[in-house]
Amino acid sequence: MKREKIDSFSATLNFGLKRAYSEDIINKEEVISYLKKLQKNLIEKEGISLSCAVSETEIVCNEWREEHLQLHFLNYPKFKGEHKIIKSHFEELIEKLMREFEQNRVIIEYKDEMIELYKSKKIDKGIFR
């Protein structure tokens, strides 16, 4: 068995399954299918392979509840490159997911910071019931 230390990259994305704060529910398989397309494009154009573990979860705040997918990305198989470059391509991938599925905001959790990507300051009115 051989052991090699590599630079790690991981990020977790919480992705809501309501389209544009409506009651239109996004199908998990649609998200996975589109994600695979984006991953393939990233591999072909940039040589960056970001694997993703997909889990179903639910976020609760006050009386509001929404089904989410928790997408945990990591550079496996290993990609040797600057974190700044990987992060940039990763966030572009997330923006494409947001546009495709009409998400206003998402939260990305990196090891050292949390980033909110959003189109507008609008928040789901159900949170304030």
Side-chain angles (χ1 to χ4, degrees):
M1 191 64 63
K2 296 182 181 177
R3 182 178 187 272
E4 177 182 358
K5 181 180 175 184
I6 60 172
D7 291 335
S8 68
F9 171 84
S10 69
T12 300
L13 171 71
N14 294 296
F15 195 82
L17 292 178
K18 286 185 177 177
R19 196 178 306 270
Y21 298 141
S22 72
E23 295 305 313
D24 182 16
I25 304 300
I26 301 164
N27 181 288
K28 173 184 169 183
E29 293 306 317
E30 286 180 72
V31 176
I32 290 173
S33 178
Y34 189 68
L35 175 62
K36 287 167 63 177
K37 178 180 169 182
L38 295 174
Q39 288 172 317
K40 183 177 182 177
N41 190 39
L42 191 55
I43 290 167
E44 289 173 354
K45 289 189 175 178
E46 303 297 334
I48 297 172
S49 175
L50 289 173
S51 296
C52 181
V54 179
S55 303
E56 294 178 29
T57 189
E58 187 172 7
I59 295 183
V60 176
C61 182
N62 194 19
E63 295 297 319
W64 172 83
R65 296 168 64 163
E66 184 179 350
E67 299 293 323
H68 277 66
L69 293 180
Q70 192 167 71
L71 307 173
H72 182 73
F73 292 86
L74 62 155
N75 64 331
Y76 174 81
K78 65 184 175 188
F79 168 76
K80 293 183 179 181
E82 292 183 37
H83 277 239
K84 185 170 70 174
I85 293 170
I86 296 171
K87 228 177 192 180
S88 170
H89 288 296
F90 169 72
E91 289 187 15
E92 284 176 26
L93 182 145
I94 301 309
E95 288 175 15
K96 289 175 183 174
L97 272 172
M98 289 177 70
R99 280 192 294 277
E100 178 71 15
F101 296 103
E102 300 176 52
Q103 295 295 293
N104 182 51
R105 77 179 64 243
V106 297
I107 300 295
I108 302 171
E109 298 175 66
Y110 293 110
K111 288 180 183 180
D112 59 343
E113 65 182 339
M114 215 159 104
I115 302 290
E116 179 182 49
L117 296 179
Y118 61 93
K119 291 191 278 186
S120 78
K121 294 280 188 180
K122 182 180 175 184
I123 295 177
D124 188 330
K125 62 184 177 217
I127 289 176
F128 301 110
R129 284 188 218 156

